[in-house]
């Protein structure tokens, strides 16, 4: 498999049919959009994340560039989260009134527990916790203008921004705690006597 970055959000992915056959995927599985193809495609996205350090969890447009006799070439356009550009054109008074939703990805539940243990302010935020594709996702709602600088550093210490929305996670992920997730995590795992 060959991975090549074409631009900030475009990647070319080349894989031979021999490589796909070794993983149990035939050409018909790709054309039928089968479960086998989805599993292999998820592995390819993981490889892109690892090699190019691109978050592949947002919306992805897939273009089949070529499907030659021996090789499949895909062009992936990945929509990434750019928090600052979302607000750059807004008048300041609109930003101040906007309750901003942020989604963070945590590789392990221990990272979530570490977060709620170390920063009590996070426990006060409106939050939801989900499990999706071997990771935990927390959706936080807070005022962008007054609270972003306070929470961004501590959240980035334990997790990373994710482009997955609360709506998408609500639809496809397993809800772990639906409301006041950080406060409940603290109560359950850090201070069970409270």
């Amino acid at each position: 498999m060959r991975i090549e970055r074409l631009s900030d959000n475009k990647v070319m992915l080349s894989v031979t049919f021999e490589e796909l056959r070794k993983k149990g995927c035939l050409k018909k599985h790709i054309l039928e959009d089968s479960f086998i193809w989805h599993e292999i495609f998820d592995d390819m996205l993981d490889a892109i994340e690892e090699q190019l350090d691109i978050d592949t969890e947002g919306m992805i447009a897939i273009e089949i560039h070529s499907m030659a006799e021996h090789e499949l070439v895909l062009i992936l356009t990945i929509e990434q989260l750019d928090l600052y550009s979302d607000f750059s054109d807004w008048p300041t008074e609109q930003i101040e009134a906007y309750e901003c939703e942020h989604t963070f990805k945590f590789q392990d539940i221990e990272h979530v527990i570490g977060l709620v243990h170390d920063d009590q302010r996070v426990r006060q935020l409106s939050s939801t916790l989900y499990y999706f594709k071997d990771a935990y996702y927390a959706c936080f709602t807070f005022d962008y203008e007054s609270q972003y600088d306070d929470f961004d550093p501590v959240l980035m210490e334990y997790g990373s921004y994710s482009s997955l929305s609360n709506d998408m996670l609500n639809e496809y992920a397993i809800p772990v705690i639906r409301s006041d997730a950080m406060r409940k995590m603290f109560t359950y795992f850090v201070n069970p006597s409270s």
Side-chain angles (χ1 to χ4, degrees):
M1 179 170 58
R2 237 178 39 243
I3 298 170
E4 180 182 338
R5 182 190 293 261
L6 301 177
S7 70
D8 284 346
N9 68 335
K10 278 196 176 195
V11 174
M12 183 173 72
L13 179 70
S14 305
V15 60
T16 66
F17 286 112
E18 182 60 33
E19 290 174 295
L20 291 174
R21 259 192 245 62
K22 287 180 182 176
K23 294 181 178 191
C25 183
L26 304 174
K27 205 181 238 187
K28 72 175 188 167
H29 293 128
I30 298 168
L31 298 173
E32 293 170 358
D33 199 27
S34 73
F35 177 75
I36 295 169
W37 169 244
H38 281 275
E39 288 295 310
I40 291 172
F41 188 73
D42 281 345
D43 292 343
M44 292 178 191
L45 292 178
D46 290 342
I48 290 170
E49 278 192 14
E50 187 177 303
Q51 290 181 27
L52 301 179
D53 195 29
I54 295 176
D55 182 8
T56 61
E57 294 171 359
M59 296 291 292
I60 301 175
I62 303 167
E63 174 190 341
I64 298 178
H65 185 65
S66 68
M67 198 168 186
E69 186 176 330
H70 300 289
E71 183 179 48
L72 172 67
V73 180
L74 303 173
I75 306 288
L76 308 178
T77 304
I78 303 163
E79 294 298 322
Q80 295 178 313
L81 175 68
D82 187 355
L83 185 63
Y84 296 107
S85 71
D86 290 344
F87 297 102
S88 60
D89 298 331
W90 286 27
T92 306
E93 59 275 3
Q94 274 188 297
I95 294 174
E96 288 172 359
Y98 184 72
E99 289 290 319
C100 192
E101 181 183 282
H102 303 277
T103 305
F104 281 81
K105 177 181 180 181
F106 299 91
Q107 294 298 329
D108 191 279
I109 194 68
E110 294 297 325
H111 297 146
V112 180
I113 294 169
L115 171 66
V116 299
H117 176 270
D118 291 349
D119 196 309
Q120 75 178 39
R121 297 169 306 159
V122 170
R123 295 178 229 146
Q124 308 309 314
L125 293 175
S126 173
S127 57
T128 308
L129 186 64
Y130 298 96
Y131 183 76
F132 183 66
K133 290 189 175 182
D134 298 325
Y136 290 86
Y137 293 83
C139 294
F140 298 97
T141 303
F142 53 84
D143 179 69
Y144 179 81
E145 184 70 19
S146 65
Q147 294 177 308
Y148 178 78
D149 290 337
D150 294 336
F151 291 113
D152 183 62
V154 72
L155 291 169
M156 291 298 287
E157 183 178 337
Y158 291 95
S160 59
Y161 272 110
S162 172
S163 57
L164 297 181
S165 70
N166 192 25
D167 293 335
M168 189 276 189
L169 289 167
N170 201 30
E171 182 76 23
Y172 298 104
I174 298 168
V176 178
I177 302 174
R178 289 193 184 271
S179 65
D180 296 324
M182 297 303 110
R183 184 184 57 76
K184 290 176 182 174
M185 286 292 293
F186 180 79
T187 301
Y188 299 155
F189 294 102
V190 179
N191 192 8
S193 62
S194 66

